[in-house]
Amino acid sequence: MKLFQHPFTSLSFITSQHHNPHRNNLHHPSIHHHPSTASTASTRHRHHHRHITIHQIHQINNKMASSDSNEELIAKERAKSTFRYTEDIAPGLKIDMALHSILHTSLSEFQEVQVIDSFFGRTLVTDGKTQSAEHDEFVYHETLVHPPLLWSAILSGRNGDDDDDKGAAPKTVFIGGGGELATAREVLKHNTVERLVMVDIDPEVIEVCKKYLPEWGGNAVANHPKMELIVGDAHKYLMETTETFDVIIMDISDPIEAGPGIALYTQEFYRRASRVLRPKSGVFVTQAGSADFVPPPHAFPTTADGCVVDDEENSKESNCFGPILNTLGTVFDHAVPYTVPMPSFGEDWGFVMAFDGSEEDRAELVGLSSGTVDKLVEERIERVEGVPEHGFRSLGVRRAVTGKERG
């Protein structure tokens, strides 16, 4: 089986014998008042190790507040008062932004769930990890969904048994995870899709996103006639199903953070997924974590003589992009990595698409022309009725198409 490596991929791969001893303890949110230079409270970010601090950087002097003659000065100080949202990307590198409000906080059976309004707009945060932000969630979800679905269409066009079957895929799609509903939103844009099964373990995330993040998909996606939304274990579902799918999409946490979710990244699981895929149009895709945005020498704390600090906490920093790519490469004929910049994550994000086929198939995928892609998009992708207009995406598309407002 052929394996194609990203420049910084690890040579390791993942088996079911691996386990994750670093599963996060759930915590309740808190707001701390600190001087502007303070940054002490820590937790973890999305699918990568990060710290979050929310703090008020200016305090109003109590004596000042008690004096009527200082009302104007008090107003000026209050105008400068703000809350901050800070995330560590790597030792010595962090992203810091304004936090406008906390819209929702709850504790589900599995995780803490928050919706905040920050510099990047409304943002879903679970266990202190940014999952997606209004500013660029469509970038992540379109990148995850459209390449495998369009490639499935091309494969079926070449391999179909008769004229009616050629190019008819994808008809059936499975999503593991995807509680925001935005992955399902992108799948349902494809007019060939007849059935979509989505299995996510946490109903709290689904309900919170339906209420606070309707542009991600909301009730229009959750109640779509083509959609079967199941609250449950995606691993168990795929292991037991007798159904087959044209495309399987895994939108789940990284193996270094997901605890029991490590089972969704093993050779054994990937082998099962390959058997559930339809042979002539089957494509598998998974999000694959941070895409080596931080150069390896800077990804870990080091001692004065340049040696990496070797302790349990720092071991969590290991990128999983390479191991995921290599593991899929031991199961499928082809494992193809691709990446996209994600401003709200503060780094590039990785994805891996895998499928069986000839070397010519892979060469065609890598060399697809923009004209071919544009034609497929025009023929196949349509708006999902009932999903509110996404202001950030519309602005981005207008800029890309017209070229206006570019610096």
Side-chain angles (χ1 to χ4, degrees):
M1 295 182 183
K2 191 71 173 174
L3 172 64
F4 301 93
Q5 290 199 9
H6 187 274
F8 292 113
T9 55
S10 165
L11 295 180
S12 61
F13 57 87
I14 304 168
T15 68
S16 61
Q17 284 71 39
H18 285 67
H19 69 283
N20 175 29
H22 306 303
R23 190 178 187 188
N24 297 328
N25 293 323
L26 299 184
H27 61 279
H28 293 280
S30 60
I31 297 176
H32 302 280
H33 297 265
H34 292 297
S36 60
T37 57
S39 180
T40 57
S42 67
T43 177
R44 294 174 65 79
H45 173 76
R46 199 178 198 281
H47 311 302
H48 190 66
H49 182 69
R50 299 200 172 174
H51 302 284
I52 292 179
T53 302
I54 300 174
H55 59 87
Q56 189 168 5
I57 63 173
H58 289 282
Q59 297 185 55
I60 304 301
N61 188 291
N62 290 332
K63 292 181 181 180
M64 187 186 301
S66 64
S67 172
D68 293 338
S69 62
N70 289 324
E71 287 184 2
E72 185 177 347
L73 184 56
I74 292 171
K76 289 182 179 179
E77 289 299 312
R78 282 177 176 161
K80 292 188 286 185
S81 181
T82 184
F83 292 91
R84 309 297 299 177
Y85 182 86
T86 304
E87 302 186 14
D88 285 346
I89 298 174
L93 179 63
K94 67 174 60 181
I95 183 171
D96 178 276
M97 69 194 79
L99 174 65
H100 305 310
S101 62
I102 300 174
L103 302 172
H104 172 86
T105 297
S106 61
L107 196 64
S108 77
E109 180 183 351
F110 304 97
Q111 57 198 335
E112 183 185 41
V113 182
Q114 292 179 304
V115 177
I116 65 171
D117 187 9
S118 74
F119 175 85
F120 290 113
R122 292 199 173 193
T123 303
L124 174 67
V125 180
T126 63
D127 282 349
K129 302 180 287 286
T130 297
Q131 299 300 309
S132 58
E134 188 176 6
H135 174 78
D136 56 7
E137 64 83 8
F138 66 91
V139 176
Y140 171 92
H141 292 106
E142 289 181 7
T143 304
L144 174 66
V145 170
H146 297 310
L149 267 69
L150 294 178
W151 184 236
S152 175
I154 292 173
L155 289 177
S156 70
R158 178 184 302 132
N159 302 327
D161 292 326
D162 53 60
D163 290 339
D164 291 336
D165 192 42
K166 286 184 180 296
K171 293 182 178 181
T172 57
V173 179
F174 175 86
I175 299 172
E180 299 127 303
L181 298 170
T183 300
R185 176 196 68 203
E186 296 303 319
V187 171
L188 291 170
K189 289 179 179 179
H190 286 253
N191 54 26
T192 62
V193 171
E194 299 174 354
R195 173 167 164 76
L196 169 60
V197 179
M198 174 183 144
V199 182
D200 192 280
I201 201 167
D202 195 344
E204 178 73 7
V205 170
I206 298 171
E207 293 305 315
V208 167
C209 290
K210 284 161 60 175
K211 180 176 181 180
Y212 292 97
L213 308 173
E215 295 86 356
W216 275 243
N219 284 307
V221 166
N223 300 327
H224 197 282
K226 296 180 180 179
M227 170 87 148
E228 181 179 359
L229 178 56
I230 300 171
V231 174
D233 184 339
H235 181 273
K236 184 174 186 292
Y237 183 93
L238 278 184
M239 286 298 186
E240 297 178 355
T241 187
T242 58
E243 193 171 357
T244 58
F245 298 93
D246 292 305
V247 179
I248 294 176
I249 302 170
M250 301 307 295
D251 185 15
I252 53 178
S253 296
D254 284 356
I256 56 174
E257 297 210 19
I262 185 71
L264 295 167
Y265 289 93
T266 65
Q267 286 176 319
E268 291 78 7
F269 176 73
Y270 291 154
R271 288 192 187 103
R272 173 58 182 169
S274 71
R275 291 192 290 270
V276 174
L277 286 170
R278 290 181 174 168
K280 296 184 179 180
S281 57
V283 181
F284 179 95
V285 70
T286 182
Q287 77 81 24
S290 176
D292 298 315
F293 175 81
V294 180
H298 296 79
F300 308 96
T302 57
T303 60
D305 58 359
C307 295
V308 173
V309 178
D310 184 16
D311 62 37
E312 190 174 87
E313 180 66 20
N314 291 325
S315 69
K316 299 178 189 178
E317 287 286 354
S318 300
N319 286 336
C320 58
F321 189 27
I324 291 171
L325 171 62
N326 293 336
T327 306
L328 280 166
T330 67
V331 174
F332 291 89
D333 290 343
H334 307 289
V336 180
Y338 58 106
T339 67
V340 66
M342 288 296 298
S344 65
F345 295 170
E347 56 189 322
D348 291 354
W349 211 252
F351 306 85
V352 181
M353 185 163 57
F355 61 97
D356 289 328
S358 67
E359 182 61 28
E360 288 72 23
D361 289 336
R362 178 198 173 274
E364 180 179 353
L365 170 63
V366 174
L368 277 180
S369 68
S370 59
T372 299
V373 174
D374 289 345
K375 185 173 184 293
L376 287 167
V377 168
E378 174 138 4
E379 292 174 349
R380 292 170 174 271
I381 297 180
E382 302 172 355
R383 184 175 178 273
V384 179
E385 291 297 324
V387 177
E389 180 65 23
H390 198 308
F392 281 94
R393 185 187 186 284
S394 298
L395 178 62
V397 169
R398 284 200 301 274
R399 284 181 174 174
V401 171
T402 67
K404 294 180 179 178
E405 300 180 332
R406 287 183 176 177

